[in-house]
Amino acid sequence: MKKITLFLLLICLFLCAEKALAFAPDFDRARHNFEARLTSDTVLKKALLKQVRPITGNFNYATLLDRDTDILLLGEEHGNERTKRETNLMIKYFGQNKEGFTHFGTEFYLSSEQPLLDQYAGNQITLPELESKLALGKAYSASAAVAKRYGLTVLGLDLPQAQNNYAWSKSAAGMRARNEHWAKIILSVAKADPQSRFIVYGGAWHTQLSSNDYPTMPQLLNKDGLKTKTVEYVSAPAWEKLAEEAKLSGKTLLFRVPANYRKDANTDFFIFLPKVTPSEAEQEEIKKIMDDKNFKISHCTDDPDHPLCKVFIIQEHR
């Protein structure tokens, strides 16, 4: 009898878990639905192709902004290294071109790590020392180095609990708590300095224009009077096919979303990051750099000022 009861209990738990998974919030659904339409909705495709621009080496990233944009939100696909490179390239561009950006805030540094980030900014600790103490180590540390180099104050935004409890961090409750924490930090800085302007980098679940499951960053920041623009990085095959139709295959592309499609896209812009294979000449150049006795691999793939990264940037922005 006990064995039967245990067996029935296990079945019940399995079915309940399956049911819970079936109704789990899918925070990617807007993008997935939109991407699915790229293969069949000819009107949508034509609208996007009218708005597409290659991001070449001399691209003006200020075209992402309105004059009164307070915050540029960059939403990444976790695990895509090219998003880091493109983000750091933007930090460099906005720092060099004096667009008024004062702060770089990101999901990838915890708010509890702010004293460490401040010590690094004040040259009290080195980058390797900072990396040894960050929860994510070297994974995103190049962004701090690039932001510091180009005059932006670095803000750690995420809650420590996001690193300690992965399941919670991905739940609707976790997303709400995290986004509200991010917004509180940004609003505090903006209130103290009305001239402040922010680049905020995190996962696309945070940066999308809206969600029915939790308040997103644009929803929270707009409510408090800050004006945002959102960019979402994409690399799905549907975008590659669209690039082929535009005869722009293999190029990094900016798609401005037409106003009448913005709600469906859930973003203002998409940046398509293609998979690029280095040419023979580029492979030779990469080998030459890596064979140099002074070569250091640290951050070489996402620091826009590193010689090796420059090769990648050139091939992705030709």
Side-chain angles (χ1 to χ4, degrees), residues 205-277:
W205 288 1
H206 299 277
T207 62
Q208 61 186 334
L209 296 183
S210 65
S211 171
N212 294 325
D213 301 299
Y214 56 87
T216 65
M217 291 306 294
Q219 288 175 307
L220 290 168
L221 297 168
N222 296 163
K223 182 182 70 175
D224 281 279
L226 293 177
K227 296 184 178 180
T228 59
K229 283 291 181 182
T230 294
V231 176
E232 185 166 338
Y233 295 119
V234 289
S235 59
W239 292 100
E240 180 60 60
K241 289 180 181 177
L242 198 60
E244 288 174 9
E245 286 192 36
K247 302 190 187 309
L248 294 169
S249 185
K251 295 185 180 294
T252 300
L253 302 176
L254 175 71
F255 290 91
R256 181 187 293 272
V257 180
N260 56 319
Y261 287 105
R262 213 157 286 156
K263 185 176 179 182
D264 295 338
N266 219 1
T267 188
D268 298 301
F269 299 92
F270 289 104
I271 288 182
F272 169 64
L273 301 168
K275 293 179 181 177
V276 181
T277 303

Side-chain angles (χ1 to χ4, degrees), residues 38 44-45 48 63 97 99 130 136 150 162 189 198 203 205 217 259 274 277 295 299:
L38 295 180
L44 170 61
K45 286 198 288 185
L48 286 171
T63 58
N97 289 277
E99 294 289 341
L130 173 66
L136 295 182
Y150 291 99
V189 173
F198 305 80
W205 288 1
M217 291 306 294
T277 303
F295 171 73
H299 313 120

Side-chain angles (χ1 to χ4, degrees), residues 1-18:
M1 184 71 177
K2 287 183 180 179
K3 288 184 178 179
I4 294 173
T5 303
L6 179 61
F7 177 73
L8 291 174
L9 179 62
L10 288 171
I11 289 177
C12 180
L13 288 171
F14 174 78
L15 291 174
C16 290
E18 190 176 51

Side-chain angles (χ1 to χ4, degrees), residues 53-59 61 86 89 247-254 272 274-286 310-318:
R53 292 181 58 190
I55 299 181
T56 56
N58 59 353
F59 188 75
Y61 287 99
E86 195 67 25
L89 203 58
K247 302 190 187 309
L248 294 169
S249 185
K251 295 185 180 294
T252 300
L253 302 176
L254 175 71
F272 169 64
K275 293 179 181 177
V276 181
T277 303
S279 66
E280 287 187 15
E282 287 165 342
Q283 288 180 38
E284 281 296 317
E285 190 174 354
I286 289 169
K310 287 179 180 178
V311 178
F312 296 140
I313 289 170
I314 289 169
Q315 74 183 29
E316 291 167 358
H317 297 80
R318 16 171 106 97

